[in-house]
Amino acid sequence: MEQFLNQVVGVLWGPTLLIGLLGTGLYFTIITKFWQLRHFADSFRFCFLGKGSGEMLPSDKNKISPYQAAAVGIAGCIGAGNIGGVASAIALGGPGALFWMWMTALVGMMTKMAEVTLAVYYRKQEDGKKVGGPLFYIEQGLGKKIKCWKIFAVLFGGSLFLQLILAPEAYTVGEALHEITGVRVMYLSTFFCFMCGVVIWGGMHRVVNFASFMMPFMSIMYMVFGFYIIITNITSLPSAIALIVESAFQPVAAVGGFAGASFMLIARTGISRGLFSNEAGWGTSPMVHATAEQNHPVEQGMWGIMEVFMSTMLVCSTTGLVIVITGEWSSGLSGSTLTINAFAHGLGKTFAGYFIAFSLFLFSWTTVTGWFSYFHSILEYAFKNNARVRKTALRMLRISTPFFGLIMAYMVDVMHTDVSYAWLIVDISSSVPTYVNLVVILLLSKKFISILKDYEGPRKLWGLEEYSKVDVDK
């Protein structure tokens, strides 16, 4: 069975998916004439300095501001992968992997913008609040083109829901905390799940408010300490940047504990880590972006660009630059251990260990609570025609979500089961919805372009006038 699952994962996570993700981003970049680069400054200004953020905390708990929706999406993206995942990519592919991470983030911005824009355009008003996401644009958009759209919806929603059953964050956090405390993994994972429950049991309103506060706090805290190390090693920064660029295009020879890497390995590790550090193309965060009180779909789409920028270009780059500039990339270490050793150059080994473990806890905490909103959206869609069943299902989801995180921890720490089976299923359940979402947004690319043209038409530019609705169907 394990061999079979490995073969399936090898196919699903092979060149087809990486080319599909990168190709989709390049396609949207080209057909929009590099919109994310031409209008990056405008997008940044609109989201952070203009009226794009809307009310930070609306008085009506049924309404979610553009900033709050983006905060949940960004918090859901920034997870353990931004610490250990980036380190593992550099340990495997060398410094050049960071370059390809940056390049894929640039095109991933347009993938994210397209899916967020479509999610807002095709959303619906139910029970006094806005709901939307890939399931809605599959039905409303793709459903007008092909009759078998329900197959796409079932594959997307069903496979994504497997992420709930085998959530890996609790075990990952428990394992990391075990290394510095010596406390049993199961106990630490249970504590982590309880802390997730404290947020989730308060419902979507508490989840949104939690992300709105925690996302900037944890991101800025992590980057401040990372920038401190970079500044203390500032004389090595030019050579580190040169090494990143040079090694991106040529095989990296073995040095120190580093085993060496081919060009294909460098590019593949950087592309995969870059694209999945921000979930561009996965179809997850559009579900929460669709709930934002926004005047035009493109306005929330610009928050999608900022989501990729913050997750990959800021947080992931902080980890990567610290590892390269300190020279720890060639130590032969990997994962969180490599990140700890790199941060130890400026913070000391003991403090660095506690700081990375604390950051990992916060990043994973916001990931689990953020993903609750995605599962919430899937159930809202699944039972949209039965209010009583929907209400019961959502209540059960809220109560049970934190406990699902204990499954993997129990399997490994108590039953001593080979966790590879669970990880293989997680890999499968994350690739299937990505394939589905990429196909759908490509089929709806003309619609996205029409919405973009509507936004940049003579009636409106960068929020100078307000829209009551968007009509691009004529």
Side-chain angles (χ1 to χ4, degrees):
M1 177 60 72
E2 183 178 1
Q3 183 178 0
F4 171 74
L5 290 176
N6 267 309
Q7 291 176 343
V8 173
V9 171
V11 172
L12 293 176
W13 279 80
T16 304
L17 183 57
L18 296 180
I19 293 173
L21 282 164
L22 188 59
T24 300
L26 280 171
Y27 173 72
F28 280 110
T29 296
I30 292 171
I31 65 175
T32 60
K33 300 177 182 178
F34 294 82
W35 201 94
Q36 78 277 36
L37 301 182
R38 292 187 293 112
H39 295 301
F40 179 82
D42 297 303
S43 299
F44 185 90
R45 211 163 32 239
F46 179 81
C47 292
F48 295 109
L49 304 177
K51 69 174 187 177
S53 61
E55 294 180 85
M56 296 295 286
L57 295 173
S59 56
D60 187 347
K61 69 177 183 179
N62 287 325
K63 293 184 178 181
I64 298 177
S65 75
Y67 164 75
Q68 287 179 311
V72 176
I74 297 170
C77 289
I78 298 177
N82 294 74
I83 296 176
V86 173
S88 296
I90 295 175
L92 182 62
L98 188 58
F99 174 86
W100 291 108
M101 207 177 297
W102 292 335
M103 294 301 102
T104 51
L106 291 179
V107 298
M109 289 179 183
M110 278 315 301
T111 304
K112 180 74 77 169
M113 181 184 187
E115 57 185 354
V116 170
T117 299
L118 290 169
V120 175
Y121 178 74
Y122 285 109
R123 66 186 177 185
K124 298 293 182 182
Q125 185 90 8
E126 295 181 3
D127 296 333
K129 57 184 179 181
K130 296 177 175 64
V131 293
L135 290 171
F136 287 83
Y137 59 68
I138 286 175
E139 178 182 357
Q140 302 298 322
L142 189 64
K144 295 180 180 179
K145 296 177 178 291
I146 60 175
K147 295 182 179 180
C148 59
W149 64 268
K150 290 184 179 180
I151 297 177
F152 286 84
V154 171
L155 283 174
F156 179 86
S159 56
L160 200 62
F161 225 82
L162 287 177
Q163 295 282 323
L164 170 65
I165 300 173
L166 287 174
E169 286 79 13
Y171 171 71
T172 302
V173 172
E175 186 179 38
L177 293 179
H178 170 75
E179 293 298 322
I180 62 174
T181 64
V183 178
R184 188 171 181 176
V185 173
M186 191 64 196
Y187 298 152
L188 295 168
S189 296
T190 301
F191 171 72
F192 173 77
C193 289
F194 172 76
M195 293 302 293
C196 291
V198 169
V199 179
I200 293 172
W201 294 332
M204 280 297 299
H205 185 59
R206 185 179 297 175
V207 168
V208 169
N209 287 337
F210 175 72
S212 299
F213 167 78
M214 190 60 69
M215 184 276 293
F217 167 75
M218 69 180 190
S219 302
I220 294 172
M221 177 195 70
Y222 186 75
M223 288 189 293
V224 164
F225 281 97
F227 289 167
Y228 168 75
I229 298 171
I230 293 172
I231 292 173
T232 56
N233 294 272
I234 195 66
T235 56
S236 301
L237 183 59
S239 59
I241 297 295
L243 178 63
I244 291 170
V245 176
E246 290 172 5
S247 58
F249 299 95
Q250 61 185 17
V252 180
V255 55
F258 181 66
S262 65
F263 169 75
M264 288 303 298
L265 182 60
I266 297 168
R268 180 169 59 84
T269 53
I271 291 171
S272 60
R273 184 64 264 157
L275 288 167
F276 286 101
S277 67
N278 49 61
E279 300 179 9
W282 203 346
T284 48
S285 65
M287 289 185 271
V288 68
H289 280 285
T291 65
E293 293 292 326
Q294 194 60 277
N295 294 322
H296 195 282
V298 171
E299 292 180 348
Q300 197 63 28
M302 288 190 285
W303 269 111
I305 292 177
M306 291 299 105
E307 184 177 316
V308 175
F309 173 73
M310 293 184 66
S311 177
T312 303
M313 302 303 286
L314 293 183
V315 180
C316 284
S317 294
T318 299
T319 302
L321 286 174
V322 169
I323 291 172
V324 175
I325 203 172
T326 58
E328 286 293 331
W329 68 272
S330 60
S331 64
L333 299 174
S334 183
S336 298
T337 303
L338 173 57
T339 306
I340 291 172
N341 277 25
F343 273 76
H345 280 257
L347 306 179
K349 188 64 178 288
T350 301
F351 183 80
Y354 282 101
F355 172 71
I356 295 301
F358 180 64
S359 298
L360 183 63
F361 185 97
L362 294 184
F363 285 10
S364 299
W365 194 10
T366 57
T367 296
V368 172
T369 53
W371 269 70
F372 165 74
S373 68
Y374 307 155
F375 302 130
H376 191 278
S377 178
I378 293 173
L379 287 185
E380 282 187 317
Y381 176 83
F383 302 109
K384 61 182 179 179
N385 296 323
N386 192 322
R388 178 179 296 180
V389 174
R390 181 174 69 249
K391 186 176 181 179
T392 301
L394 293 176
R395 184 184 297 113
M396 292 177 62
L397 176 71
R398 184 170 62 186
I399 295 172
S400 63
T401 293
F403 298 112
F404 282 108
L406 293 176
I407 294 178
M408 187 178 290
Y410 184 82
M411 289 172 59
V412 179
D413 191 53
V414 178
M415 299 181 64
H416 304 290
T417 305
D418 187 350
V419 75
S420 60
Y421 286 104
W423 279 111
L424 289 170
I425 295 174
V426 169
D427 287 340
I428 293 172
S429 64
S430 62
S431 62
V432 172
T434 306
Y435 276 109
V436 172
N437 187 56
L438 290 177
V439 171
V440 174
I441 62 174
L442 285 171
L443 291 173
L444 296 177
S445 59
K446 288 185 178 180
K447 175 64 69 176
F448 168 66
I449 293 299
S450 67
I451 299 171
L452 193 62
K453 288 181 178 179
D454 176 80
Y455 182 73
E456 295 185 306
R459 294 179 296 169
K460 178 184 174 70
L461 182 64
W462 307 116
L464 297 179
E465 298 177 19
E466 291 193 5
Y467 273 50
S468 58
K469 64 178 180 177
V470 182
D471 185 6
V472 296
D473 290 321
K474 295 180 179 178

